[in-house]
Amino acid sequence: MNKIALVTGASRGLGRNTALHIAKKGGDVVITYQSRAQEAEAVVGQIRAMGRQALALRLDVGNMDGFADFADLLRASLRDTWGRDSFDHLVNNAGHGDMAAIADTTRAQFDRLVDVHFKGVFFLTQALLPLLADGGRIVNMSSGLTRVSFPGFGAYAAVKGAVEVLSVYLAKELGSRGIAVNTVAPGAIETDFLGGAVRDTPDLNGVFAGMTALGRVGVPDDIGPMIASLLGEENRWINGQRIEVSGGQVI
């Protein structure tokens, strides 16, 4: 029986890359999107072209009131498409960037970061636990910025740090069900995060490249394959870990 992964925020960026590499390794994928329906359907098309099953479902990870309805929709979709009542892997990837010095961070900015990156991860995982198969996996996305500091990311990094602690507690509490939980922490990556700042701003790209032992910033293909591999049986004994994928950033 094929494994089914749910990847949030997978219409673009690291989520899209992760979903595609999961499919390349033989998995089926449910992706979520907030507003980019056309891009999400394009990802579904790419996955199906590989001979795998895929669906795209709309989800706002910052709106906790919608999680119960989403769980019901996912349950119905699993039954209709796979004839199953469960899925195997949850990748909590969806998120956004908001760059501001701590002195300048507004309450609205802070609340949105907490809602999307922490409360969203916490309560979506909670809502989906009844559908997650025993022996499954959870991967929560963090950031290299929880280990090293860079101006403007104080609130963002603090929230990601909370996710790292949550992952350890999830690993402990879900161990009796054989569910492994890990955190993946990318370094600077060329995506449209922060409006494509690292990808499209040569000076900023150069700063992060100079901080990295391998002499460049990352690209999505540095991250997606690693997450797909982490979900494989060959990595079944990795649990409760923070895994940084940064090319050796600030070492």
Side-chain angles (χ1 to χ4, degrees):
M1 182 170 60
N2 291 334
K3 299 292 186 182
I4 304 169
L6 172 65
V7 184
T8 65
S11 64
R12 57 179 177 163
L14 297 185
R16 172 185 176 275
N17 193 278
T18 296
L20 293 175
H21 280 282
I22 289 170
K24 286 179 181 179
K25 287 180 68 69
D28 294 341
V29 191
V30 179
I31 70 169
T32 78
Y33 67 95
Q34 182 178 355
S35 60
R36 298 172 181 262
Q38 185 173 355
E39 289 91 334
E41 289 301 330
V43 177
V44 168
Q46 288 180 276
I47 293 171
R48 289 176 177 168
M50 300 178 200
R52 308 268 32 101
Q53 289 272 26
L55 293 174
L57 303 177
R58 187 180 182 281
L59 173 67
D60 179 356
V61 296
N63 177 19
M64 282 131 278
D65 291 338
F67 290 171
D69 288 342
F70 177 79
D72 290 342
L73 175 61
L74 177 60
R75 181 181 291 108
S77 298
L78 290 168
R79 289 174 179 170
D80 291 345
T81 304
W82 286 278
R84 287 183 54 180
D85 292 317
S86 64
F87 69 104
D88 302 286
H89 304 145
L90 171 60
V91 181
N92 284 307
N93 165 79
H96 72 292
D98 209 335
M99 188 175 182
I102 291 173
D104 300 324
T105 300
T106 67
R107 185 177 297 179
Q109 286 175 307
F110 185 85
D111 287 347
R112 182 65 177 162
L113 286 168
V114 171
D115 285 348
V116 170
H117 291 276
F118 183 54
K119 291 169 68 176
V121 171
F122 188 108
F123 288 107
L124 180 63
T125 301
Q126 181 189 73
L128 298 182
L129 282 178
L131 301 180
L132 186 62
D134 289 353
R137 309 283 174 79
I138 298 173
V139 174
N140 294 324
M141 296 296 285
S142 182
S143 170
L145 293 164
T146 62
R147 181 178 62 83
V148 299
S149 62
F150 192 83
F153 289 104
Y156 174 81
V159 173
K160 286 299 192 182
V163 170
E164 294 179 6
V165 174
L166 173 63
S167 296
V168 173
Y169 276 80
L170 282 170
K172 181 68 172 180
E173 293 190 15
L174 299 179
S176 62
R177 293 179 54 189
I179 296 172
V181 185
N182 293 288
T183 304
V184 170
I189 306 292
E190 291 183 353
T191 67
D192 55 5
F193 182 76
L194 283 176
V198 172
R199 180 191 62 208
D200 302 332
T201 309
D203 288 347
L204 186 60
N205 189 295
V207 168
F208 280 113
M211 296 164 59
T212 304
L214 292 180
R216 64 170 176 85
V217 300
V219 296
D221 272 339
D222 294 320
I223 308 300
M226 181 271 162
I227 297 173
S229 176
L230 187 60
L231 299 177
E233 283 302 308
E234 65 271 23
N235 284 317
R236 64 186 182 183
W237 204 236
I238 299 174
N239 192 25
Q241 303 303 305
R242 176 195 185 273
I243 305 168
E244 184 168 316
V245 191
S246 68
Q249 188 170 291
V250 192
I251 58 173

